[in-house]
Amino acid sequence: MKIYPWEKVAEIQGDHRFFQCSRCCTDEVWDAIEPVSRMVEAMGDGLEVPTELVPRCPHCGAEAFPWVRGYGNFLQGELYEEQYRKVSNWLDAHARQRILFLELGVGRMTPAFIQEPFWALTAQLPQASYVAVNNKTQFLPRAIEDRGLAVRADIADVLADVRKTLGR
Ligand SMILES: [Zn+2]
């Protein structure tokens, strides 16, 4: 989101810029940037957030948490569907073209959302290739061995090497 326009980014794992209700009582997500900066400011050098600044759902009063998979019951509502549609529409439009699925630093915590779909799509789309760079893991399924590469290294080093090789 810092580099690419919103319509070209599919945040299917969520986004720390938003809060959601921990009870999923509403499909709404709301701004987290401002409340988090108020919490950080109130913490000062300490580690405690004043109770009145703990984020709460404006509808039911339950605690709020970041709209990011992994904190609890991740809200897969309209915003999630919108993110998913971006990926699906892009794939529909480009499935016959050459595609490089480039996986940078995706770990094994939730492989069902990025890694395994990338593997499956590479296997299904005849013109697709797959490259993964990760400093901890190095998985490459046998089914895509001929069109894939898994590099175990620091992403910054790998991208610097690519840039140097391309002469840019
Ligand atoms: Zn709520």
Side-chain angles (χ1 to χ4, degrees):
M1 282 306 302
K2 290 180 182 169
I3 300 172
Y4 298 100
W6 170 252
E7 66 272 13
K8 292 193 172 186
V9 177
E11 300 181 300
I12 58 167
Q13 298 283 63
D15 184 328
H16 279 95
R17 294 174 308 142
F18 300 108
F19 277 137
Q20 69 161 79
C21 173
S22 59
R23 289 188 197 141
C24 294
C25 82
T26 173
D27 191 26
E28 273 176 47
V29 297
W30 59 95
D31 176 63
I33 295 171
E34 158 106 41
V36 167
S37 37
R38 271 189 270 125
M39 283 190 277
V40 169
E41 194 182 315
M43 283 168 55
D45 294 330
L47 296 171
E48 291 179 15
V49 174
T51 305
E52 65 275 15
L53 291 184
V54 171
R56 298 252 167 217
C57 171
H59 300 281
C60 74
E63 273 190 30
F65 57 66
W67 180 66
V68 173
R69 194 184 306 281
Y71 287 99
N73 41 343
F74 178 57
L75 177 66
Q76 294 190 175
E78 178 50 36
L79 186 56
Y80 174 81
E81 293 298 326
E82 182 188 334
Q83 305 308 305
Y84 205 87
R85 272 194 305 272
K86 289 188 222 175
V87 179
S88 300
N89 293 344
W90 191 89
L91 283 169
D92 283 348
H94 297 86
R96 289 190 170 75
Q97 299 170 3
R98 291 179 67 200
I99 298 174
L100 170 63
F101 290 101
L102 180 59
E103 187 196 292
L104 299 175
V106 174
R108 293 292 295 166
M109 207 162 77
T110 53
F113 299 97
I114 296 173
Q115 198 166 59
E116 290 168 3
F118 274 19
W119 292 345
L121 285 161
T122 303
Q124 287 164 18
L125 302 172
Q127 301 216 63
S129 306
Y130 168 83
V131 173
V133 182
N134 195 297
N135 65 354
K136 291 191 181 86
T137 59
Q138 187 177 31
F139 289 111
L140 184 63
R142 191 157 285 157
I144 58 169
E145 250 176 10
D146 56 331
R147 288 182 287 134
L149 180 68
V151 180
R152 188 173 177 179
D154 186 283
I155 294 168
D157 294 340
V158 172
L159 294 181
D161 285 350
V162 169
R163 186 174 236 183
K164 201 169 146 188
T165 303
L166 294 175
R168 294 181 193 162

